[in-house]
Amino acid sequence: MELLAMFHQGGLVMYPLLLCSIIAVAILVERLRTYKKAKSNMAMLREEIPAHTHEREALLDICVRDGGVAAEMVYAGAAQGGTPEQQNQRMQSAAVTIAGRLRSYLNYLETIVTLAPLLGLLGTVTGMISSFNVLSVADGQPFAITAGVGEALIATATGLCVAIIALVIHTYLVQVQDKLITDMEEMGNVYIGALTGMPLMNDGEQVREVAGDVSAA
């Protein structure tokens, strides 16, 4: 009951702040589920992909069974065969698409991090306006302004709390996303290196750079 009373005391801006917090938690749950499905069994892929590099059907079956984004990228390169350069190009294209998919909804968290303190500030301003309006009609009653001051402080504190929570969620999800992109980079190195018989450094790094450009957009 006390929390509910504080919520109402915070004024109208508490409703958009509540909506922001719900959206942030919903994004966290959705992204965690997505990232869990996107995770590859890297130990298995490191062992199986080099062993079946020249056996396309077996290689594709391994990628399908894994189901992660690293295997998905290798599948995109190997599915149509071709030279190592052609397959690497297809993997780079797949990396762009996958990285964009991994980043979905994270921009909303960035918006909430910026928006929540501004909403709190708006609540502060409206609360102070209410205080002065009350003071003007209640001359000689200094305690009449406390409701407006309370609204201002509650709205400010709530806005900061929502922004902090959204920032923590965003930072954590970005770290998970970066790990998945790193896995794709590694598998690009492993697969093309196995095709050519030598480690692929520059081209493998291109997969990371292209995917990184999408994640930073």
Side-chain angles (χ1 to χ4, degrees), residues 95-113:
V96 173
T97 302
I98 295 170
R101 195 171 71 228
L102 292 176
R103 180 157 177 82
S104 296
Y105 305 118
L106 296 187
N107 57 323
Y108 294 119
L109 288 175
E110 296 173 357
T111 300
I112 291 173
V113 170

Side-chain angles (χ1 to χ4, degrees), residues 71 75 98 103 106 113 118 123 137 166 183 198 200 204:
Y75 185 99
I98 295 170
R103 180 157 177 82
L106 296 187
V113 170
L118 294 178
V137 299
D183 289 346
M198 57 186 298
L200 181 68

Side-chain angles (χ1 to χ4, degrees), residues 89-145:
Q89 184 62 43
R90 288 197 295 270
M91 286 196 298
Q92 290 183 39
S93 298
V96 173
T97 302
I98 295 170
R101 195 171 71 228
L102 292 176
R103 180 157 177 82
S104 296
Y105 305 118
L106 296 187
N107 57 323
Y108 294 119
L109 288 175
E110 296 173 357
T111 300
I112 291 173
V113 170
T114 303
L115 180 62
L118 294 178
L119 289 172
L121 180 60
L122 177 61
T124 300
V125 172
T126 57
M128 296 307 296
I129 291 174
S130 298
S131 297
F132 287 113
N133 286 339
V134 171
L135 185 61
S136 66
V137 299
D139 190 27
Q141 301 181 34
F143 294 106
I145 68 171

Side-chain angles (χ1 to χ4, degrees), residues 9-10 120 123-125 127-128 147-157:
Q9 190 177 355
T124 300
V125 172
M128 296 307 296
V149 174
E151 175 183 340
L153 295 177
I154 291 172
T156 302

Side-chain angles (χ1 to χ4, degrees), residues 44-45 56-68 71-72 74-75:
M44 184 272 290
L45 293 180
R56 186 188 304 176
E57 293 302 323
L59 177 64
L60 297 180
D61 182 64
I62 291 169
C63 293
V64 171
R65 284 190 287 109
D66 178 80
E72 180 183 346
V74 174
Y75 185 99

